[in-house]
Amino acid sequence: MKRTGLPAPVTGPALPAPFVRWFAARGWTPRQHQLDLLAAAERRESALLVAPTGAGKTLAGFLPSLVELTARERHLPGTKRRGLHTLYISPLKALAIDVARNLKTPVEEMALPVRIETRTGDTSASKRQRQRRDPPDMLLTTPEQVALLLASPDAQFLFGDLQRIVLDELHALVTSKRGDLLSLGLARLRALAPQMSAIGLSATVRDPDELRRWLVGSDDKLATLVTAPPGAPPDLRVLDTREHLPWAGHSAVHALREIYSAIRNANMTLVFVNTRAQAEFVFQELWRMNDDKLAIALHHGSLDAGQRRRVEEAMAAGKLKAVVCTSTLDLGIDWGDVDLVINVGAPKGASRLMQRIGRANHRLDEPSRAILVPANRFEVLECVAAVDAAREGAQDTAQPRTGALDVLAQHVLGMACAEPFHADALYNEIISAAPYAGLTWEQFEKAVDFVATGGYALRTYDRFAKIKRMPDGRWRVANGRIAQSYRMNVGTIIEADMLKVRMVRGPLPKREPGAVYTGRIGRGGRVLGEIEESFIEMLAPNDTFLFGGEILALQGLQEDEALVSRAHGDAPKVPSYAGGKFPLSTYLAARVRGFLADPTSWDHLPPQVGEWLALQAERSTLPGRRDLLVETFPRGGRFYMAAYPFEGRLAHQTLGMLLTRRMDRAGLKPLGFVANDYAFAIWSLADIGKRVGAGAASLGDLFAQDMLGDDLEDWLHESALMKRTFRNCAVIAGLIERRFPGKEKTGRQVTISTDLVYDVLRRHEPDHLLLEAARQDAATGLLDIARLSDMLARIAGRIVHRDLDRVSPLAVPIMLEIGRELVYGEAQDQILAEAAQDLIREAEGAKARRVEADNLVPS
C-alpha cells in the first residue's frame, strides 16, 4: 500500500477499532479529506475528491464501503449477500487489477469480512458466470464490462442492492465516447439502485463543477466537493541540452546521452513518450548506449499482454532501472519506487504533464521529480509553458461533451437486451445523464427507430431490425442472435486493423525473389504483440522494422499474422501506429503565444532558443498574443505561405484543407500544405505575397470565418474523412458487426460495407442518425471546428503579413515537415540535418522584400 496519511489533527467520523489499530500500527492517521469523504458517504451524498498523487485517493474512495461492510457483518453476522455493494470503475484494466491487489492488503491485515474481485476482458468465462450468480462485495472493473452487465437479464439482481460506485481517474473517463457510454450506464444504475451514491476520484481537474454535475447527472444539484491539500511542489525542469538543439524533428536523439545519464543516477525512471513508434526508437537507442547493462524495459499498448504484465511485475518488484512507455502508464498505478519521470517531447497539456510526473514519488509530502526533454526549438517553448502552468497548479482538461448519438443507439440496444422497455421511461432515464441532458425527444425517437429499422432508407432489410415493438408498447430485442452480437461488439474503442506479430522458428519455404510468403508454415514461435495491417502492407519482403525493442524482418503473412525473424541493421523502419499523438491544448497554445510576444520572458529560455527568436525578430517579426503572423517567400521555383496560429495539428490541418480550396478559386494555384502543432505552410505556383501586396488577393478574405460554412460542407462531402468517420460510428452503433461467433470481419470488409451504406444514406436519407453522428464527430474531434472558429474570430483584423525574399527562422521547422517520411534512425537524422542547414543558412540571410512593418491586413 502507498503511504496514506501523515500525523496531523483531523476531525470527522470515528473509525471502527480495526481501522484505528491498522493506521496506528503504521504510524499514520487518516487524512482530513479521507474523513470528509467518509462523512459525505454517511450522509448518502455523492462526492468528488480532488487530490494530488500520494494523497491516498484510492483508500479514501473505498473507506466508506469498507466501514459499512464491516458494520453490516458486525450487526447482522452471516447475512446472505444478494448483490454487489460497491462497484469500482477504472479506465484501465491494469489499474483495476493493481487497485484490487493494493486494497486486499488492508482487508487481509484487518481481517475484514469483505470479498473483492476484478472483472476485465481477461477474466475467465466461468468466473464471470459465477460473479453473476454470487456477486462479491466489491467488483473492480472497466466501463465496457459495466455495459455488458447492465445488458444482461439479471442486471436487477446484480445491481439492485448497490450502495456505492467509485470512479477512479474520473477526468480520463468523461472526455470521450467511452465516458458517454459510462454516463448512460450510471443513469441505468441510478434507476436500478436509487439508494446508490457515487464517488469520483481525480488528481487533475480544470472545473470541478463539471465533474460534480456529471457524477449526479442533474443540473439542479452537484456532488459534494472534497479537496486535499496540494502537497509538495513538484521538482520540474526543462533540459537545457549541452548538444545542438534541432530546429525541427521529434526523435530527441540529440539528448539521449543526457537521458541515459539521468536514468543511471536515479533509482527508477519512467521515460514517457507521446507515440508508440517513438517508444520503440528511444528504447532501442538507449539499449545501444547501455554500457552499464542497466535493466531498461519497454511498455506500450501494442505489445503482447503477457510481456506487458512481466514488465509491470518487474517494476512493482523494483527490478528495473527504467521503463520507456506511452500513455499506458499515465494513470494512477503504483509501480514501485519510481523517483524520476522523463518526458521526451512536449507534453501537449498542463494536466497531462501533472498526471505523468505524479508517477514519481507516490507521497504527498515529497516532491515529484521530472525532466522535460524537448525534441526541437518550438517544443522548448511548449515545455517551458507547461512547467510554468504546473508550478501554478493550472489545469487544462477537456471541456464537457455532448453525448454521441452512435453511443446512444448502442445503449438503447443494450437496454432491450436486458429487458423490454417503455420508450418514455428510457428517455427520462437517458436525459438524467449529464452528456445527454439536452437530448430532444425527436433525437431519441430517431435513435430508437434506427435500432428498430436501420432508418428510413434501410428499413426494408430485416438484418437491420434489432428490436421489435410488443403489443403493450414496450420494445424488446429481436432475437437471441442480436443479443449475442451486442455482447461481442459492445464498447466505443475502434482500433486499427491489427495483425499478430509472430516470430518464425526456422526458415520459411523458398519463394521467388521479392515475393511475400502467404502459405502455411509449420509451428511458429511466440507472439510478440500486434501491429497495424496498413503498416505491414507497405513493407517488402525482408524490410526491417522496430517492434518490442527488437529489429525484425518481415518474412511473410499467414491469415491474421505477420511472420517475422530477428534481423540486424542500423536504420530499421518504425511502425507508425494509429493514435498516440496528443493535440496541443488551447491553454498551452495561449501561453506559447504569450512567450513569443514578450521578449522579456525569454531570459529563462535556453540560449539557443532565445537566439533563434531574436533572429526571427530581426529577419521578420514575431506573432503577437492575439495576432496571426503570415509570411510569404519564394523557394525552389515555388511560392510559400507560412502561418503561425499555435492552435494544434488538427485545427491547422483543417485550416490548410479549407484555405487551399479558397486559394484555388482565387487563382493562387496551391499545390499542397503541411501542418504541425504550431504552424502550417502552403506552397503554390502563384506568388501569394506579390498578389497580396498588389491588392489582387486579401488575406482577410482568405481567413474569413465564413470558410466554416459552405467551404467546410463541400469539402466534407468530397473527402474520405467523412466515410472513415461514418465507418466508426456504424460499428459503434451496431449497424455493422465486426465480431460474431466463429467469424470476424476484416477492416476491408467493414470498409466496403459501410462505404456502400454511406453512399445510400447520402442520397436517400441525408438526415440519418449516423450521418449526424459522423458530422458531430468530425466537428468535435478530427477537425477541431470549435477551436478553429475561435481562432478565426480572434485574428479577424489582426493578420500581420511579412513578404520575405527567403524562408524565415520561424518557418524552418514547418518547412522541414514537407515530404518527411515517417522513418526514424540515423539516416533520417542525417537527411534532416542537411536540409535544416540549407534552410538555416537561407533564414539567417533573410530580409523583407517589401517592408510594411506592423501593417495589419484588414478583414
mmCIF file with all atom_site columns, all heavy atoms in Angstrom, residues 804-824:
data_model
loop_
_atom_site.group_PDB
_atom_site.id
_atom_site.type_symbol
_atom_site.label_atom_id
_atom_site.label_alt_id
_atom_site.label_comp_id
_atom_site.label_asym_id
_atom_site.label_entity_id
_atom_site.label_seq_id
_atom_site.pdbx_PDB_ins_code
_atom_site.Cartn_x
_atom_site.Cartn_y
_atom_site.Cartn_z
_atom_site.occupancy
_atom_site.B_iso_or_equiv
_atom_site.pdbx_formal_charge
_atom_site.auth_seq_id
_atom_site.auth_comp_id
_atom_site.auth_asym_id
_atom_site.auth_atom_id
_atom_site.pdbx_PDB_model_num
ATOM 1   N N   . LEU A 1 804 ? 8.775  38.115 -47.581 1.00 0.00 ? 804 LEU A N   1
ATOM 2   C CA  . LEU A 1 804 ? 10.222 37.977 -47.444 1.00 0.00 ? 804 LEU A CA  1
ATOM 3   C C   . LEU A 1 804 ? 10.843 37.494 -48.751 1.00 0.00 ? 804 LEU A C   1
ATOM 4   O O   . LEU A 1 804 ? 10.164 36.944 -49.620 1.00 0.00 ? 804 LEU A O   1
ATOM 5   C CB  . LEU A 1 804 ? 10.551 36.985 -46.320 1.00 0.00 ? 804 LEU A CB  1
ATOM 6   C CG  . LEU A 1 804 ? 9.858  37.217 -44.967 1.00 0.00 ? 804 LEU A CG  1
ATOM 7   C CD1 . LEU A 1 804 ? 10.160 36.061 -44.030 1.00 0.00 ? 804 LEU A CD1 1
ATOM 8   C CD2 . LEU A 1 804 ? 10.278 38.549 -44.360 1.00 0.00 ? 804 LEU A CD2 1
ATOM 9   N N   . ASP A 1 805 ? 12.158 37.657 -48.834 1.00 0.00 ? 805 ASP A N   1
ATOM 10  C CA  . ASP A 1 805 ? 12.838 37.165 -50.040 1.00 0.00 ? 805 ASP A CA  1
ATOM 11  C C   . ASP A 1 805 ? 13.308 35.728 -49.871 1.00 0.00 ? 805 ASP A C   1
ATOM 12  O O   . ASP A 1 805 ? 13.806 35.115 -50.818 1.00 0.00 ? 805 ASP A O   1
ATOM 13  C CB  . ASP A 1 805 ? 14.012 38.077 -50.414 1.00 0.00 ? 805 ASP A CB  1
ATOM 14  C CG  . ASP A 1 805 ? 15.100 38.094 -49.348 1.00 0.00 ? 805 ASP A CG  1
ATOM 15  O OD1 . ASP A 1 805 ? 14.860 37.544 -48.244 1.00 0.00 ? 805 ASP A OD1 1
ATOM 16  O OD2 . ASP A 1 805 ? 16.171 38.669 -49.606 1.00 0.00 ? 805 ASP A OD2 1
ATOM 17  N N   . ARG A 1 806 ? 13.174 35.186 -48.663 1.00 0.00 ? 806 ARG A N   1
ATOM 18  C CA  . ARG A 1 806 ? 13.546 33.793 -48.423 1.00 0.00 ? 806 ARG A CA  1
ATOM 19  C C   . ARG A 1 806 ? 12.912 33.330 -47.107 1.00 0.00 ? 806 ARG A C   1
ATOM 20  O O   . ARG A 1 806 ? 12.283 34.108 -46.401 1.00 0.00 ? 806 ARG A O   1
ATOM 21  C CB  . ARG A 1 806 ? 15.061 33.635 -48.376 1.00 0.00 ? 806 ARG A CB  1
ATOM 22  C CG  . ARG A 1 806 ? 15.744 34.361 -47.217 1.00 0.00 ? 806 ARG A CG  1
ATOM 23  C CD  . ARG A 1 806 ? 17.246 34.413 -47.398 1.00 0.00 ? 806 ARG A CD  1
ATOM 24  N NE  . ARG A 1 806 ? 17.595 35.348 -48.487 1.00 0.00 ? 806 ARG A NE  1
ATOM 25  C CZ  . ARG A 1 806 ? 18.832 35.492 -48.954 1.00 0.00 ? 806 ARG A CZ  1
ATOM 26  N NH1 . ARG A 1 806 ? 19.809 34.762 -48.473 1.00 0.00 ? 806 ARG A NH1 1
ATOM 27  N NH2 . ARG A 1 806 ? 19.076 36.353 -49.915 1.00 0.00 ? 806 ARG A NH2 1
ATOM 28  N N   . VAL A 1 807 ? 13.107 32.078 -46.768 1.00 0.00 ? 807 VAL A N   1
ATOM 29  C CA  . VAL A 1 807 ? 12.492 31.491 -45.585 1.00 0.00 ? 807 VAL A CA  1
ATOM 30  C C   . VAL A 1 807 ? 12.960 32.210 -44.324 1.00 0.00 ? 807 VAL A C   1
ATOM 31  O O   . VAL A 1 807 ? 14.108 32.661 -44.237 1.00 0.00 ? 807 VAL A O   1
ATOM 32  C CB  . VAL A 1 807 ? 12.819 29.977 -45.519 1.00 0.00 ? 807 VAL A CB  1
ATOM 33  C CG1 . VAL A 1 807 ? 14.309 29.758 -45.335 1.00 0.00 ? 807 VAL A CG1 1
ATOM 34  C CG2 . VAL A 1 807 ? 12.045 29.283 -44.407 1.00 0.00 ? 807 VAL A CG2 1
ATOM 35  N N   . SER A 1 808 ? 12.071 32.304 -43.334 1.00 0.00 ? 808 SER A N   1
ATOM 36  C CA  . SER A 1 808 ? 12.422 32.950 -42.065 1.00 0.00 ? 808 SER A CA  1
ATOM 37  C C   . SER A 1 808 ? 12.847 31.899 -41.043 1.00 0.00 ? 808 SER A C   1
ATOM 38  O O   . SER A 1 808 ? 12.572 30.705 -41.212 1.00 0.00 ? 808 SER A O   1
ATOM 39  C CB  . SER A 1 808 ? 11.209 33.713 -41.514 1.00 0.00 ? 808 SER A CB  1
ATOM 40  O OG  . SER A 1 808 ? 10.246 32.799 -40.998 1.00 0.00 ? 808 SER A OG  1
ATOM 41  N N   . PRO A 1 809 ? 13.523 32.303 -39.963 1.00 0.00 ? 809 PRO A N   1
ATOM 42  C CA  . PRO A 1 809 ? 13.902 31.324 -38.930 1.00 0.00 ? 809 PRO A CA  1
ATOM 43  C C   . PRO A 1 809 ? 12.712 30.560 -38.357 1.00 0.00 ? 809 PRO A C   1
ATOM 44  O O   . PRO A 1 809 ? 12.805 29.362 -38.090 1.00 0.00 ? 809 PRO A O   1
ATOM 45  C CB  . PRO A 1 809 ? 14.575 32.201 -37.863 1.00 0.00 ? 809 PRO A CB  1
ATOM 46  C CG  . PRO A 1 809 ? 15.130 33.358 -38.632 1.00 0.00 ? 809 PRO A CG  1
ATOM 47  C CD  . PRO A 1 809 ? 14.119 33.642 -39.706 1.00 0.00 ? 809 PRO A CD  1
ATOM 48  N N   . LEU A 1 810 ? 11.593 31.245 -38.155 1.00 0.00 ? 810 LEU A N   1
ATOM 49  C CA  . LEU A 1 810 ? 10.420 30.584 -37.579 1.00 0.00 ? 810 LEU A CA  1
ATOM 50  C C   . LEU A 1 810 ? 9.802  29.585 -38.551 1.00 0.00 ? 810 LEU A C   1
ATOM 51  O O   . LEU A 1 810 ? 9.136  28.628 -38.126 1.00 0.00 ? 810 LEU A O   1
ATOM 52  C CB  . LEU A 1 810 ? 9.379  31.640 -37.180 1.00 0.00 ? 810 LEU A CB  1
ATOM 53  C CG  . LEU A 1 810 ? 8.473  31.324 -35.981 1.00 0.00 ? 810 LEU A CG  1
ATOM 54  C CD1 . LEU A 1 810 ? 9.289  31.107 -34.720 1.00 0.00 ? 810 LEU A CD1 1
ATOM 55  C CD2 . LEU A 1 810 ? 7.447  32.432 -35.770 1.00 0.00 ? 810 LEU A CD2 1
ATOM 56  N N   . ALA A 1 811 ? 10.007 29.796 -39.854 1.00 0.00 ? 811 ALA A N   1
ATOM 57  C CA  . ALA A 1 811 ? 9.424  28.910 -40.860 1.00 0.00 ? 811 ALA A CA  1
ATOM 58  C C   . ALA A 1 811 ? 10.239 27.647 -41.088 1.00 0.00 ? 811 ALA A C   1
ATOM 59  O O   . ALA A 1 811 ? 9.734  26.688 -41.690 1.00 0.00 ? 811 ALA A O   1
ATOM 60  C CB  . ALA A 1 811 ? 9.258  29.662 -42.183 1.00 0.00 ? 811 ALA A CB  1
ATOM 61  N N   . VAL A 1 812 ? 11.492 27.630 -40.637 1.00 0.00 ? 812 VAL A N   1
ATOM 62  C CA  . VAL A 1 812 ? 12.347 26.473 -40.910 1.00 0.00 ? 812 VAL A CA  1
ATOM 63  C C   . VAL A 1 812 ? 11.723 25.169 -40.410 1.00 0.00 ? 812 VAL A C   1
ATOM 64  O O   . VAL A 1 812 ? 11.667 24.179 -41.148 1.00 0.00 ? 812 VAL A O   1
ATOM 65  C CB  . VAL A 1 812 ? 13.752 26.686 -40.307 1.00 0.00 ? 812 VAL A CB  1
ATOM 66  C CG1 . VAL A 1 812 ? 14.552 25.389 -40.342 1.00 0.00 ? 812 VAL A CG1 1
ATOM 67  C CG2 . VAL A 1 812 ? 14.482 27.784 -41.061 1.00 0.00 ? 812 VAL A CG2 1
ATOM 68  N N   . PRO A 1 813 ? 11.217 25.090 -39.158 1.00 0.00 ? 813 PRO A N   1
ATOM 69  C CA  . PRO A 1 813 ? 10.661 23.813 -38.695 1.00 0.00 ? 813 PRO A CA  1
ATOM 70  C C   . PRO A 1 813 ? 9.511  23.296 -39.543 1.00 0.00 ? 813 PRO A C   1
ATOM 71  O O   . PRO A 1 813 ? 9.473  22.104 -39.866 1.00 0.00 ? 813 PRO A O   1
ATOM 72  C CB  . PRO A 1 813 ? 10.198 24.138 -37.259 1.00 0.00 ? 813 PRO A CB  1
ATOM 73  C CG  . PRO A 1 813 ? 11.078 25.254 -36.821 1.00 0.00 ? 813 PRO A CG  1
ATOM 74  C CD  . PRO A 1 813 ? 11.277 26.089 -38.058 1.00 0.00 ? 813 PRO A CD  1
ATOM 75  N N   . ILE A 1 814 ? 8.569  24.160 -39.919 1.00 0.00 ? 814 ILE A N   1
ATOM 76  C CA  . ILE A 1 814 ? 7.436  23.673 -40.699 1.00 0.00 ? 814 ILE A CA  1
ATOM 77  C C   . ILE A 1 814 ? 7.866  23.321 -42.115 1.00 0.00 ? 814 ILE A C   1
ATOM 78  O O   . ILE A 1 814 ? 7.353  22.378 -42.720 1.00 0.00 ? 814 ILE A O   1
ATOM 79  C CB  . ILE A 1 814 ? 6.277  24.703 -40.700 1.00 0.00 ? 814 ILE A CB  1
ATOM 80  C CG1 . ILE A 1 814 ? 5.009  24.088 -41.314 1.00 0.00 ? 814 ILE A CG1 1
ATOM 81  C CG2 . ILE A 1 814 ? 6.643  25.964 -41.438 1.00 0.00 ? 814 ILE A CG2 1
ATOM 82  C CD1 . ILE A 1 814 ? 4.448  22.928 -40.541 1.00 0.00 ? 814 ILE A CD1 1
ATOM 83  N N   . MET A 1 815 ? 8.854  24.026 -42.663 1.00 0.00 ? 815 MET A N   1
ATOM 84  C CA  . MET A 1 815 ? 9.349  23.679 -43.997 1.00 0.00 ? 815 MET A CA  1
ATOM 85  C C   . MET A 1 815 ? 10.005 22.298 -43.995 1.00 0.00 ? 815 MET A C   1
ATOM 86  O O   . MET A 1 815 ? 9.952  21.569 -44.996 1.00 0.00 ? 815 MET A O   1
ATOM 87  C CB  . MET A 1 815 ? 10.347 24.734 -44.477 1.00 0.00 ? 815 MET A CB  1
ATOM 88  C CG  . MET A 1 815 ? 9.721  26.102 -44.738 1.00 0.00 ? 815 MET A CG  1
ATOM 89  S SD  . MET A 1 815 ? 8.621  26.097 -46.166 1.00 0.00 ? 815 MET A SD  1
ATOM 90  C CE  . MET A 1 815 ? 9.826  25.961 -47.492 1.00 0.00 ? 815 MET A CE  1
ATOM 91  N N   . LEU A 1 816 ? 10.616 21.927 -42.889 1.00 0.00 ? 816 LEU A N   1
ATOM 92  C CA  . LEU A 1 816 ? 11.259 20.618 -42.806 1.00 0.00 ? 816 LEU A CA  1
ATOM 93  C C   . LEU A 1 816 ? 10.248 19.480 -42.693 1.00 0.00 ? 816 LEU A C   1
ATOM 94  O O   . LEU A 1 816 ? 10.612 18.305 -42.825 1.00 0.00 ? 816 LEU A O   1
ATOM 95  C CB  . LEU A 1 816 ? 12.222 20.583 -41.624 1.00 0.00 ? 816 LEU A CB  1
ATOM 96  C CG  . LEU A 1 816 ? 13.506 21.383 -41.825 1.00 0.00 ? 816 LEU A CG  1
ATOM 97  C CD1 . LEU A 1 816 ? 14.263 21.519 -40.513 1.00 0.00 ? 816 LEU A CD1 1
ATOM 98  C CD2 . LEU A 1 816 ? 14.393 20.728 -42.877 1.00 0.00 ? 816 LEU A CD2 1
ATOM 99  N N   . GLU A 1 817 ? 8.990  19.804 -42.429 1.00 0.00 ? 817 GLU A N   1
ATOM 100 C CA  . GLU A 1 817 ? 7.948  18.780 -42.390 1.00 0.00 ? 817 GLU A CA  1
ATOM 101 C C   . GLU A 1 817 ? 7.557  18.336 -43.792 1.00 0.00 ? 817 GLU A C   1
ATOM 102 O O   . GLU A 1 817 ? 6.978  17.259 -43.970 1.00 0.00 ? 817 GLU A O   1
ATOM 103 C CB  . GLU A 1 817 ? 6.700  19.326 -41.670 1.00 0.00 ? 817 GLU A CB  1
ATOM 104 C CG  . GLU A 1 817 ? 6.904  19.709 -40.220 1.00 0.00 ? 817 GLU A CG  1
ATOM 105 C CD  . GLU A 1 817 ? 6.697  18.543 -39.281 1.00 0.00 ? 817 GLU A CD  1
ATOM 106 O OE1 . GLU A 1 817 ? 6.272  17.467 -39.754 1.00 0.00 ? 817 GLU A OE1 1
ATOM 107 O OE2 . GLU A 1 817 ? 6.966  18.702 -38.080 1.00 0.00 ? 817 GLU A OE2 1
ATOM 108 N N   . ILE A 1 818 ? 7.816  19.154 -44.800 1.00 0.00 ? 818 ILE A N   1
ATOM 109 C CA  . ILE A 1 818 ? 7.365  18.866 -46.161 1.00 0.00 ? 818 ILE A CA  1
ATOM 110 C C   . ILE A 1 818 ? 8.099  17.644 -46.694 1.00 0.00 ? 818 ILE A C   1
ATOM 111 O O   . ILE A 1 818 ? 9.325  17.618 -46.756 1.00 0.00 ? 818 ILE A O   1
ATOM 112 C CB  . ILE A 1 818 ? 7.592  20.075 -47.096 1.00 0.00 ? 818 ILE A CB  1
ATOM 113 C CG1 . ILE A 1 818 ? 6.758  21.270 -46.616 1.00 0.00 ? 818 ILE A CG1 1
ATOM 114 C CG2 . ILE A 1 818 ? 7.237  19.717 -48.542 1.00 0.00 ? 818 ILE A CG2 1
ATOM 115 C CD1 . ILE A 1 818 ? 7.027  22.547 -47.367 1.00 0.00 ? 818 ILE A CD1 1
ATOM 116 N N   . GLY A 1 819 ? 7.343  16.626 -47.061 1.00 0.00 ? 819 GLY A N   1
ATOM 117 C CA  . GLY A 1 819 ? 7.925  15.434 -47.658 1.00 0.00 ? 819 GLY A CA  1
ATOM 118 C C   . GLY A 1 819 ? 8.660  14.542 -46.701 1.00 0.00 ? 819 GLY A C   1
ATOM 119 O O   . GLY A 1 819 ? 9.323  13.596 -47.123 1.00 0.00 ? 819 GLY A O   1
ATOM 120 N N   . ARG A 1 820 ? 8.562  14.807 -45.397 1.00 0.00 ? 820 ARG A N   1
ATOM 121 C CA  . ARG A 1 820 ? 9.323  13.995 -44.431 1.00 0.00 ? 820 ARG A CA  1
ATOM 122 C C   . ARG A 1 820 ? 8.664  12.630 -44.262 1.00 0.00 ? 820 ARG A C   1
ATOM 123 O O   . ARG A 1 820 ? 7.476  12.520 -43.999 1.00 0.00 ? 820 ARG A O   1
ATOM 124 C CB  . ARG A 1 820 ? 9.365  14.704 -43.064 1.00 0.00 ? 820 ARG A CB  1
ATOM 125 C CG  . ARG A 1 820 ? 10.263 14.006 -42.067 1.00 0.00 ? 820 ARG A CG  1
ATOM 126 C CD  . ARG A 1 820 ? 10.471 14.890 -40.857 1.00 0.00 ? 820 ARG A CD  1
ATOM 127 N NE  . ARG A 1 820 ? 9.250  15.088 -40.111 1.00 0.00 ? 820 ARG A NE  1
ATOM 128 C CZ  . ARG A 1 820 ? 8.823  14.283 -39.145 1.00 0.00 ? 820 ARG A CZ  1
ATOM 129 N NH1 . ARG A 1 820 ? 9.524  13.226 -38.824 1.00 0.00 ? 820 ARG A NH1 1
ATOM 130 N NH2 . ARG A 1 820 ? 7.708  14.524 -38.492 1.00 0.00 ? 820 ARG A NH2 1
ATOM 131 N N   . GLU A 1 821 ? 9.444  11.573 -44.453 1.00 0.00 ? 821 GLU A N   1
ATOM 132 C CA  . GLU A 1 821 ? 8.938  10.226 -44.279 1.00 0.00 ? 821 GLU A CA  1
ATOM 133 C C   . GLU A 1 821 ? 8.890  9.885  -42.789 1.00 0.00 ? 821 GLU A C   1
ATOM 134 O O   . GLU A 1 821 ? 9.708  10.349 -42.011 1.00 0.00 ? 821 GLU A O   1
ATOM 135 C CB  . GLU A 1 821 ? 9.842  9.219  -45.001 1.00 0.00 ? 821 GLU A CB  1
ATOM 136 C CG  . GLU A 1 821 ? 9.868  9.388  -46.506 1.00 0.00 ? 821 GLU A CG  1
ATOM 137 C CD  . GLU A 1 821 ? 8.520  9.124  -47.147 1.00 0.00 ? 821 GLU A CD  1
ATOM 138 O OE1 . GLU A 1 821 ? 7.769  8.294  -46.609 1.00 0.00 ? 821 GLU A OE1 1
ATOM 139 O OE2 . GLU A 1 821 ? 8.210  9.751  -48.168 1.00 0.00 ? 821 GLU A OE2 1
ATOM 140 N N   . LEU A 1 822 ? 7.925  9.026  -42.418 1.00 0.00 ? 822 LEU A N   1
ATOM 141 C CA  . LEU A 1 822 ? 7.804  8.618  -41.029 1.00 0.00 ? 822 LEU A CA  1
ATOM 142 C C   . LEU A 1 822 ? 8.799  7.497  -40.727 1.00 0.00 ? 822 LEU A C   1
ATOM 143 O O   . LEU A 1 822 ? 8.453  6.352  -40.506 1.00 0.00 ? 822 LEU A O   1
ATOM 144 C CB  . LEU A 1 822 ? 6.376  8.155  -40.745 1.00 0.00 ? 822 LEU A CB  1
ATOM 145 C CG  . LEU A 1 822 ? 5.330  9.267  -40.769 1.00 0.00 ? 822 LEU A CG  1
ATOM 146 C CD1 . LEU A 1 822 ? 3.958  8.689  -40.550 1.00 0.00 ? 822 LEU A CD1 1
ATOM 147 C CD2 . LEU A 1 822 ? 5.643  10.318 -39.722 1.00 0.00 ? 822 LEU A CD2 1
ATOM 148 N N   . VAL A 1 823 ? 10.073 7.823  -40.772 1.00 0.00 ? 823 VAL A N   1
ATOM 149 C CA  . VAL A 1 823 ? 11.138 6.851  -40.526 1.00 0.00 ? 823 VAL A CA  1
ATOM 150 C C   . VAL A 1 823 ? 12.110 7.459  -39.519 1.00 0.00 ? 823 VAL A C   1
ATOM 151 O O   . VAL A 1 823 ? 12.530 8.592  -39.676 1.00 0.00 ? 823 VAL A O   1
ATOM 152 C CB  . VAL A 1 823 ? 11.881 6.488  -41.830 1.00 0.00 ? 823 VAL A CB  1
ATOM 153 C CG1 . VAL A 1 823 ? 12.996 5.505  -41.534 1.00 0.00 ? 823 VAL A CG1 1
ATOM 154 C CG2 . VAL A 1 823 ? 10.924 5.903  -42.852 1.00 0.00 ? 823 VAL A CG2 1
ATOM 155 N N   . TYR A 1 824 ? 12.436 6.680  -38.489 1.00 0.00 ? 824 TYR A N   1
ATOM 156 C CA  . TYR A 1 824 ? 13.420 7.133  -37.518 1.00 0.00 ? 824 TYR A CA  1
ATOM 157 C C   . TYR A 1 824 ? 14.776 6.525  -37.862 1.00 0.00 ? 824 TYR A C   1
ATOM 158 O O   . TYR A 1 824 ? 14.894 5.611  -38.659 1.00 0.00 ? 824 TYR A O   1
ATOM 159 C CB  . TYR A 1 824 ? 13.017 6.685  -36.105 1.00 0.00 ? 824 TYR A CB  1
ATOM 160 C CG  . TYR A 1 824 ? 11.931 7.509  -35.488 1.00 0.00 ? 824 TYR A CG  1
ATOM 161 C CD1 . TYR A 1 824 ? 10.600 7.289  -35.837 1.00 0.00 ? 824 TYR A CD1 1
ATOM 162 C CD2 . TYR A 1 824 ? 12.215 8.496  -34.561 1.00 0.00 ? 824 TYR A CD2 1
ATOM 163 C CE1 . TYR A 1 824 ? 9.583  8.024  -35.270 1.00 0.00 ? 824 TYR A CE1 1
ATOM 164 C CE2 . TYR A 1 824 ? 11.205 9.229  -33.971 1.00 0.00 ? 824 TYR A CE2 1
ATOM 165 C CZ  . TYR A 1 824 ? 9.887  8.986  -34.331 1.00 0.00 ? 824 TYR A CZ  1
ATOM 166 O OH  . TYR A 1 824 ? 8.892  9.720  -33.761 1.00 0.00 ? 824 TYR A OH  1
#
